[in-house]
Amino acid sequence: MQLIYLINYSVKGIKSLDEDVKLSFYKKTISKNPDMNGYNIKGIYGMNGSGKSGIVTSVKILKNILTDSGYLNNPIIH
Protein backbone atom coordinates (compact mmCIF):
# COMPACT_ATOMS: atom_id res chain seq x y z
CA MET A 1 0.00 0.00 0.00
CA GLN A 2 1.33 3.38 -1.02
CA LEU A 3 1.30 6.23 1.50
CA ILE A 4 -0.72 9.27 0.50
CA TYR A 5 -0.24 12.64 2.15
CA LEU A 6 -2.85 15.40 2.23
CA ILE A 7 -1.23 18.74 1.35
CA ASN A 8 -4.23 21.00 0.74
CA TYR A 9 -7.81 20.58 1.89
CA SER A 10 -10.88 22.65 1.05
CA VAL A 11 -14.43 22.17 2.34
CA LYS A 12 -17.76 24.01 2.20
CA GLY A 13 -21.37 23.21 3.10
CA ILE A 14 -20.95 20.90 6.10
CA LYS A 15 -22.50 21.96 9.42
CA SER A 16 -21.78 25.69 9.89
CA LEU A 17 -19.25 25.94 7.02
CA ASP A 18 -21.19 28.24 4.68
CA GLU A 19 -18.05 29.66 3.06
CA ASP A 20 -15.09 27.80 1.59
CA VAL A 21 -12.47 26.84 4.22
CA LYS A 22 -8.99 26.06 2.94
CA LEU A 23 -6.28 24.34 4.96
CA SER A 24 -2.66 23.88 3.87
CA PHE A 25 -0.53 21.18 5.49
CA TYR A 26 2.85 21.92 3.97
CA LYS A 27 5.92 23.82 5.00
CA LYS A 28 7.22 26.66 2.89
CA THR A 29 10.56 24.91 2.44
CA ILE A 30 10.47 21.28 1.45
CA SER A 31 13.71 19.32 1.31
CA LYS A 32 14.40 16.43 -1.07
CA ASN A 33 13.56 13.88 1.65
CA PRO A 34 10.95 15.61 3.84
CA ASP A 35 10.23 14.32 7.34
CA MET A 36 6.48 13.66 7.19
CA ASN A 37 6.24 13.43 11.00
CA GLY A 38 6.51 17.22 11.08
CA TYR A 39 3.25 17.60 9.13
CA ASN A 40 0.77 16.39 11.78
CA ILE A 41 -2.01 18.70 12.88
CA LYS A 42 -1.49 19.62 16.51
CA GLY A 43 -4.90 21.17 17.14
CA ILE A 44 -7.83 23.13 15.75
CA TYR A 45 -9.08 26.06 17.79
CA GLY A 46 -11.44 28.99 17.37
CA MET A 47 -14.57 30.67 18.62
CA ASN A 48 -17.82 28.78 19.19
CA GLY A 49 -19.64 28.28 15.90
CA SER A 50 -16.52 28.95 13.81
CA GLY A 51 -16.59 25.54 12.09
CA LYS A 52 -14.19 23.34 14.05
CA SER A 53 -16.57 20.37 14.23
CA GLY A 54 -17.53 20.91 10.59
CA ILE A 55 -13.89 20.47 9.56
CA VAL A 56 -13.54 17.32 11.68
CA THR A 57 -16.82 15.91 10.27
CA SER A 58 -15.72 16.62 6.71
CA VAL A 59 -12.41 14.81 7.27
CA LYS A 60 -14.33 11.79 8.65
CA ILE A 61 -16.53 11.81 5.52
CA LEU A 62 -13.46 12.03 3.26
CA LYS A 63 -11.83 9.12 5.12
CA ASN A 64 -14.98 7.00 4.71
CA ILE A 65 -15.23 7.81 1.00
CA LEU A 66 -11.59 6.81 0.47
CA THR A 67 -11.62 3.64 2.58
CA ASP A 68 -15.17 2.26 2.16
CA SER A 69 -16.15 1.56 -1.44
CA GLY A 70 -19.86 1.28 -0.53
CA TYR A 71 -20.01 4.36 1.72
CA LEU A 72 -21.93 6.55 -0.73
CA ASN A 73 -24.35 3.73 -1.58
CA ASN A 74 -25.12 2.88 2.06
CA PRO A 75 -28.52 4.29 3.12
CA ILE A 76 -27.40 4.25 6.77
CA ILE A 77 -24.87 7.04 7.29
CA HIS A 78 -22.31 6.38 10.06
Side-chain angles (χ1 to χ4, degrees), residues 11-71:
V11 65
K12 175 181 174 182
I14 295 183
K15 292 200 172 204
S16 64
L17 299 177
D18 295 333
E19 295 182 19
D20 197 27
V21 174
K22 296 178 183 178
L23 304 173
S24 295
F25 303 105
Y26 64 90
K27 295 179 182 179
K28 290 184 179 183
T29 10
I30 300 175
S31 64
K32 262 188 171 178
N33 299 314
D35 175 19
M36 289 301 173
N37 290 327
Y39 289 81
N40 296 332
I41 295 176
K42 305 303 182 207
I44 298 176
Y45 63 93
M47 298 181 342
N48 290 343
S50 63
K52 299 177 300 289
S53 64
I55 292 170
V56 172
T57 300
S58 71
V59 171
K60 287 180 185 178
I61 292 170
L62 176 63
K63 175 190 167 269
N64 288 329
I65 289 171
L66 294 174
T67 59
D68 182 359
S69 61
Y71 180 73

